[in-house]
Amino acid sequence: MRNDCLRRVIPAMTAALVAMTAALAAAYGQTQAAWMLTAAISFGTTGYHFLIRLLVGGATRAIFRNRPLWEKPWFRPRNWEAGFYRFLRVRRWKDKMPTYRPEEFAVSGNSLEAVTQAGCIAELGHEGIILLSFAPLLTVPAFGAAGVFWTTSLLAALVDSVFVVMQRYNRPRFLRVLEKERGRHG
């Protein structure tokens, strides 16, 4: 899927999943057919994971857009990270991953500060999504199937951790160039 399609497909897919959840839940209320409840839970959980990506991404961009996050300790590279990223071979696969807003990460057309900030915002958003990926576990007492909820939560968190790794992998280069520029301009 091309990156520019993501902004059309993900909201449409989210809306479809929410609609299917509502329709199946209503049908289950009328028929009490167990398969409808299972399907409603499946569509609902999947819809939730799509929805939090949209909501957290939008909220994170809105809240942190004008705050230089790369100067905060949380976003500074750690000593152990370079070796970890070599082990994961991030350099080989990072450019193959989809980007929801590729124009924000393009070095041509954006300042280095803007690209670095976009990376920090994306990292923060994906970290929030990782945490929220486990919220469906709160429904286990009502619906059971703990294994299914744990599996979907872990897989969703794993997917977002890949994007955190990508952002943290790229940041040291941007920070080195930013520091050089600041040194030249006093």
Side-chain angles (χ1 to χ4, degrees):
M1 181 181 310
R2 290 183 30 223
N3 289 336
D4 58 343
C5 291
L6 289 177
R7 280 189 275 186
R8 288 190 310 268
V9 171
I10 291 178
M13 179 75 78
T14 303
L17 288 164
V18 169
M20 286 298 296
T21 301
L24 286 163
Y28 171 74
Q30 296 295 316
T31 66
Q32 299 297 303
W35 73 267
M36 286 188 185
L37 178 61
T38 301
I41 292 169
S42 299
F43 278 103
T45 304
T46 306
Y48 168 79
H49 286 290
F50 273 81
L51 185 62
I52 63 169
R53 277 155 185 77
L54 292 173
L55 296 177
V56 171
T60 307
R61 286 179 74 243
I63 293 168
F64 296 103
R65 174 180 40 229
N66 297 321
R67 300 178 190 177
L69 295 174
W70 67 86
E71 295 175 345
K72 306 290 186 210
W74 181 262
F75 297 99
R76 289 285 178 181
R78 309 295 190 286
N79 293 335
W80 56 268
E81 286 181 308
F84 180 64
Y85 300 145
R86 274 193 301 278
F87 172 76
L88 293 177
R89 299 180 180 176
V90 176
R91 186 176 183 184
R92 290 186 182 189
W93 53 260
K94 71 178 184 73
D95 294 330
K96 295 172 178 64
M97 298 301 292
T99 305
Y100 194 74
R101 296 184 182 281
E103 70 279 2
E104 291 182 2
F105 297 96
V107 177
S108 60
N110 290 308
S111 69
L112 199 53
E113 287 91 351
V115 173
T116 306
Q117 178 71 359
C120 291
I121 290 171
E123 176 188 334
L124 195 58
H126 285 289
E127 289 165 345
I129 292 166
I130 289 169
L131 294 174
L132 291 172
S133 292
F134 294 94
L137 294 173
L138 298 172
T139 65
V140 169
F143 298 114
V148 173
F149 284 107
W150 271 106
T151 301
T152 58
S153 293
L154 286 170
L155 289 174
L158 182 62
V159 167
D160 280 283
S161 68
V162 168
F163 292 100
V164 170
V165 165
M166 285 175 26
Q167 296 307 325
R168 294 199 64 83
Y169 172 84
N170 287 326
R171 189 162 308 119
R173 288 180 306 168
F174 293 138
L175 291 176
R176 279 192 297 274
V177 175
L178 278 172
E179 288 169 8
K180 284 181 187 177
E181 284 183 3
R182 285 184 177 172
R184 270 189 263 150
H185 299 299

